[in-house]
Amino acid sequence: MSAAPVPGVLENAPTRAFLAGRADGSIPPLDPRLPGYGRFRSWFTRPLLSRPAILDAAQTSTLDHDLPLLLRTLQALPDRLFGGDQERFAGALGWRGPGVAAGLRLLSGPPVPLGRADLVHTADGFRLVEFNTSSSLGSLEFGELCRAALADPAFGGFAAEHRLTYLDPMALMADTLLRYSGWDAPGRPVIALVDWVTSPVAVNASLFVDLLAELGFRIVACTVKDLEFGPGGLFAHGERIDVVYRTFLFKTVAEDPAAGELLEPLARAVRHGAARVFSPLNADLSGSKLCLAMLSDPGESDPLTAEERETVDRVLPWTRSMRNADAAPAPGGGTLAGLVRAERERLVLKPSIGHAGRGVVAGWLTEPDAWAELVRTACAGDAGEYVVQRRAVSVAERFDPPDAPDTPDTGGPPTATCLLHWGLFVTGAGLSGGFVKGLLDHEQDIRYLGDGSHVGCVFHSAA
């Protein structure tokens, strides 16, 4: 069967080649019941897509340029716009809470190249909808699913024939940790995987710990309250700690009146050179969605270089702060709030500070009266800072529906379409692999958090 383009979907050449093999019966379906998938499935139980997502060589090269540049640009905003004052930067982003000043005073540090870009693939290329910038990122473990797919006869042979490779987010993150923690001693550092005492998100870190252990690290899991600093260094549960890997969000610190007291032992260890933190608390500030509005709307004095501006304008959808939107002018006349009400079906409203898609509202999935009330709330600032972003319309890719039998006599297996949401990592190595998720045969949502969301790993074509 020819691997020709299919009307209604947009797929690159290696993806079409794989699907052609599925349709003519030469490539069987992947089998997640095989032993190679066992460790990943015991950690991640949501349903899997029927195949990996594939980036061709041109897409990989473009993303490897764009995403690290965008991360560096976001991380440069405090210096370029606020004279390096992290507290002033935080205030401009709407960070409030009793622990903000203490957290930034005690555990701020230089930028670390670690983040996850959340993107959709449109007819004009990839578009950035969020950029997460913290060591508390989820899903670094997806290299394990890539290894399982390579061991699956249904994909391993195809990957070898078409020169497909994968980038392991965990291994590349670990290399970045070693480099940016300044580790130069023999062996590997002991890492404390540190949560907050009142963490709002329960995280299954079992596979994370296993993968780091296989890379040669000794891992101690604890909360920030378990850290003790003394003459011998920083300790947790009786073990000396070299590097603290922060799994808690700055948002949690900001809301805790006891933040200064809880962070003080760790801060003292850092000041005395007894331990390092990966990554500093101020790293989370760059992940605020208001930072994207600062990039999208430069104001009278653009802080970006020509290369940065070209990349931002090409990759980032139009994004604006909703602060004072009922008075802020809109392009073409009227107010920004009026424009947002009128163009509901083309827009998304998002809290500036948050995670896991909480509070994100797609206008095209919202009734006009409910949207108007959301706009009023966003303008008033009663519920915190909001941004509005132009909808980036995904193109579809094809996958096997769940439990669909092969039917070669009728043209191969049936297919479902999926509007993928891409989570792609950036480390010191540049583009560092990722994952995809989405709902089969479902209207585009920008969160993909409901039951039935399927996930997959990402491969890259070398040619």
Side-chain angles (χ1 to χ4, degrees):
M1 178 179 288
S2 169
V6 175
V9 300
L10 184 61
E11 295 157 339
N12 56 31
T15 301
R16 292 197 304 271
F18 180 83
L19 291 167
R22 284 288 293 120
D24 66 18
S26 61
I27 297 178
L30 276 69
D31 186 358
R33 297 168 299 179
L34 292 172
Y37 292 94
R39 186 163 70 163
F40 182 85
R41 298 300 290 143
S42 67
W43 166 74
F44 200 94
T45 58
R46 284 166 65 177
L48 299 180
L49 292 165
S50 62
R51 62 170 176 84
I54 305 171
L55 293 169
D56 65 25
Q59 290 170 325
T60 298
S61 177
T62 298
L63 289 164
D64 191 37
H65 168 272
D66 292 349
L67 299 186
L69 183 148
L70 287 166
L71 179 59
R72 292 193 301 270
T73 305
L74 287 166
Q75 292 173 332
L77 289 176
D79 287 336
R80 295 185 188 180
L81 297 179
F82 299 92
D85 188 329
Q86 297 290 340
E87 289 191 44
R88 196 155 65 91
F89 182 46
L93 297 174
W95 285 92
R96 306 286 184 267
V100 170
L104 293 176
R105 174 175 52 83
L106 292 171
L107 283 185
S108 286
V112 172
L114 181 68
R116 190 191 72 232
D118 290 349
L119 308 111
V120 296
H121 188 205
T122 75
D124 297 317
F126 282 92
R127 295 292 179 265
L128 175 75
V129 294
E130 294 185 22
F131 216 129
N132 304 277
T133 58
S134 172
S135 59
S136 58
L137 300 172
S139 302
L140 287 160
E141 301 92 335
F142 264 76
E144 180 72 6
L145 183 56
C146 292
R147 289 184 284 274
L150 284 177
D152 190 320
F155 188 75
F158 177 85
E161 178 185 354
H162 290 265
R163 300 174 60 204
L164 301 183
T165 60
Y166 74 95
L167 299 168
D168 186 345
M170 183 67 75
L172 296 170
M173 179 280 293
D175 289 343
T176 302
L177 180 149
L178 289 171
R179 178 181 172 187
Y180 282 84
S181 64
W183 184 256
D184 57 4
R188 294 292 174 99
V190 177
I191 297 177
L193 202 62
V194 180
D195 208 344
W196 200 250
V197 290
T198 54
S199 177
V201 181
V203 177
N204 178 1
S206 60
L207 184 55
F208 187 96
V209 171
D210 287 348
L211 293 174
L212 280 182
E214 290 174 6
L215 291 168
F217 295 93
R218 165 76 177 143
I219 307 298
V220 179
C222 65
T223 73
V224 67
K225 197 172 184 178
D226 298 320
L227 297 173
E228 299 177 342
F229 177 62
L234 184 69
F235 288 83
H237 302 318
E239 293 208 45
R240 193 183 188 283
I241 304 302
D242 300 305
V243 177
V244 166
Y245 190 105
R246 176 175 63 88
T247 64
F248 55 86
L249 298 166
F250 179 50
K251 186 175 188 292
T252 309
V253 177
E255 294 169 350
D256 195 331
E261 178 184 351
L262 289 166
L263 290 172
E264 183 59 35
L266 174 56
R268 288 173 58 206
V270 172
R271 287 197 300 270
H272 285 81
R276 304 292 180 91
V277 175
F278 187 79
S279 59
L281 277 175
N282 56 305
D284 290 27
L285 301 182
S286 300
S288 165
K289 298 167 193 68
L290 270 175
C291 291
L292 298 181
M294 292 176 182
L295 296 186
S296 179
D297 183 14
E300 297 180 2
S301 179
D302 192 345
L304 307 189
T305 67
E307 181 185 18
E308 291 166 348
R309 174 52 57 197
E310 184 280 328
T311 303
V312 166
D313 289 348
R314 175 167 47 82
V315 177
L316 178 63
W318 178 89
T319 307
R320 294 293 185 270
S321 168
M322 287 297 292
R323 188 181 296 166
N324 300 319
D326 46 4
T335 66
L336 177 60
L339 181 148
V340 174
R341 283 190 291 268
E343 298 192 7
R344 170 181 58 84
E345 294 188 352
R346 301 175 60 194
L347 299 172
V348 185
L349 275 173
K350 305 180 180 185
S352 174
I353 299 168
H355 64 283
R358 294 174 181 173
V360 177
V361 180
W364 59 93
L365 299 176
T366 307
E367 293 299 321
D369 289 347
W371 180 257
E373 181 60 23
L374 287 166
V375 173
R376 186 206 66 76
T377 300
C379 292
D382 297 338
E385 303 286 346
Y386 275 78
V387 300
V388 60
Q389 188 174 76
R390 188 77 68 193
R391 176 185 184 183
V393 181
S394 295
V395 293
E397 293 197 25
R398 292 168 294 158
F399 295 84
D400 293 354
D403 304 319
D406 284 348
T407 53
D409 55 325
T410 58
T415 59
T417 57
C418 191
L419 303 168
L420 294 175
H421 183 108
W422 298 69
L424 298 179
F425 293 98
V426 175
T427 69
L431 179 65
S432 297
F435 63 95
V436 292
K437 56 184 176 179
L439 299 172
L440 298 172
D441 289 332
H442 194 277
E443 185 176 0
Q444 185 185 18
D445 194 346
I446 31 66
R447 296 162 298 174
Y448 298 107
L449 292 174
D451 291 340
S453 177
H454 288 56
V455 299
C457 55
V458 176
F459 278 81
H460 306 264
S461 176

